[in-house]
């Protein structure tokens, strides 16, 4: 992928699946359709509620949270009022649930947030919270099915365990044959180039802390050894 594709500033690597409501890297389309078909055969209606997201979209989420115009939650899901906080504290709070523009795995088109649509009561809003994927939560059966089957289709979960950076996101799946090489290409220099050309709030602090941010929010993920799983 080019630097513009890696940071969501180009769409040349992705395809809009139209009726399925998602936008994926061209090499992820067929694996995703295969995963969806297999899930359906096991009575799960696997839907990607979030897929490719471009830099501009991530910037509007980021700036909205930074300015206090969008809700920001703590790790326990409680709302925070960070309007009077210094930039560094605001950014640390936002980073618990949102990626920095340019640093989201959703820019690659390889990563999706999934739900089991058949488990939602009609009219219910989609809530991406860990409890919904555990115990008797609405997406728990799909979650278990994915744990047993997704590796065979090339997918894994990059955010499973509690880490210094991103909180656990059982709904977030990643297609390894695309995202593993993308992660290797995603250096601090690539991030700096994207940030310097942008108008994201707090960008001076981001630039000053790029190495720490890259280590904590880009590189520090859960990985799967596919050679041993297959
Ligand atoms: Zn996600």
């Amino acid at each position: 992928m080019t630097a513009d594709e890696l940071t969501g500033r180009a769409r040349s690597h992705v395809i809009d699946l139209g009726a399925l409501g998602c936008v994926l890297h061209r090499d992820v389309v067929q694996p995703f359709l295969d995963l969806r078909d297999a899930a359906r055969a096991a009575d799960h209606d696997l839907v990607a509620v979030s897929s490719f997201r471009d830099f501009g979209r991530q910037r509007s989420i980021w700036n909205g949270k930074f300015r206090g115009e969008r809700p920001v939650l703590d790790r326990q899901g409680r709302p925070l009022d960070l309007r009077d906080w210094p930039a560094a504290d605001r950014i640390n709070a936002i980073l618990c649930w949102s990626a920095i523009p340019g640093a989201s795995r959703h820019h690659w088109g390889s990563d999706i947030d999934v739900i089991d649509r058949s488990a939602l009561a009609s009219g219910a809003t989609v809530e991406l919270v860990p409890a919904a994927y555990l115990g008797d939560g609405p997406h728990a059966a799909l979650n278990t099915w994915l744990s047993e089957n997704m590796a065979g289709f090339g997918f894994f979960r990059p955010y499973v365990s509690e880490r210094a950076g991103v909180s656990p996101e059982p709904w977030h799946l990643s297609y390894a044959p695309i995202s593993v090489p993308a992660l290797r290409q995603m250096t601090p220099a690539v991030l700096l180039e994207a940030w310097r050309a942008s108008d994201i709030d707090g960008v001076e602090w981001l630039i000053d802390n790029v190495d720490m941010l890259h280590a904590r929010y880009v590189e520090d993920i859960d990985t799967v050894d596919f050679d041993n799983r297959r």
Side-chain angles (χ1 to χ4, degrees):
M1 273 190 255
T2 66
D4 280 353
E5 290 172 342
L6 285 169
T7 52
R9 292 176 299 159
R11 309 177 64 97
S12 33
H13 55 310
V14 295
I15 292 174
D16 191 333
L17 271 63
L20 280 176
C22 59
V23 180
L24 297 173
H25 187 286
R26 65 179 97 81
D27 296 336
V28 183
V29 174
Q30 197 55 51
F32 170 71
L33 295 175
D34 292 344
L35 181 74
R36 199 179 130 69
D37 284 348
R40 191 189 294 132
D43 279 332
H44 306 293
D45 186 10
L46 185 154
V47 169
V49 292
S50 184
S51 50
F52 169 76
R53 204 179 295 145
D54 69 12
F55 187 96
R57 172 83 185 125
Q58 195 69 29
R59 178 182 53 205
S60 78
I61 294 170
W62 178 268
N63 286 356
K65 291 192 170 189
F66 193 93
R67 296 169 190 176
E69 296 161 2
R70 274 173 172 268
V72 178
L73 306 178
D74 69 11
R75 279 189 181 240
Q76 284 71 45
R78 294 173 301 221
L80 299 167
D81 183 0
L82 39 68
R83 279 170 297 181
D84 296 326
W85 296 12
D89 294 344
R90 286 194 219 193
I91 288 170
N92 275 314
I94 297 167
L95 282 169
C96 184
W97 295 109
S98 293
I100 308 165
S104 172
R105 297 175 66 92
H106 284 284
H107 294 326
W108 304 342
S110 56
D111 286 45
I112 50 179
D113 298 332
V114 300
I115 64 161
D116 186 343
R117 189 169 52 186
S118 63
L120 282 184
S122 62
T125 51
V126 175
E127 257 204 303
L128 295 183
V129 292
Y133 291 76
L134 302 169
D136 52 8
H139 313 300
L142 170 66
N143 201 42
T144 302
W145 183 87
L146 286 167
S147 297
E148 289 163 3
N149 295 283
M150 67 180 166
F153 297 86
F155 289 88
F156 74 105
R157 293 190 190 92
Y159 309 123
V160 185
S161 49
E162 193 66 52
R163 300 186 163 270
V166 182
S167 294
E169 294 187 357
W171 52 83
H172 185 118
L173 312 185
S174 182
Y175 182 65
I178 295 302
S179 65
V180 170
L183 181 62
R184 244 180 266 129
Q185 286 186 281
M186 192 72 212
T187 60
V190 169
L191 283 175
L192 279 179
E193 193 213 326
W195 292 347
R196 287 197 175 116
S198 81
D199 55 353
I200 46 180
D201 288 334
V203 72
E204 298 305 327
W205 192 88
L206 296 178
I207 289 171
D208 286 347
N209 292 277
V210 65
D211 289 329
M212 176 277 286
L213 293 167
H214 179 268
R216 189 177 283 192
Y217 296 101
V218 176
E219 279 206 308
D220 185 25
I221 59 158
D222 295 286
T223 53
V224 168
D225 185 346
F226 277 88
D227 292 337
N228 288 339
R229 290 289 296 265
R230 279 184 174 160

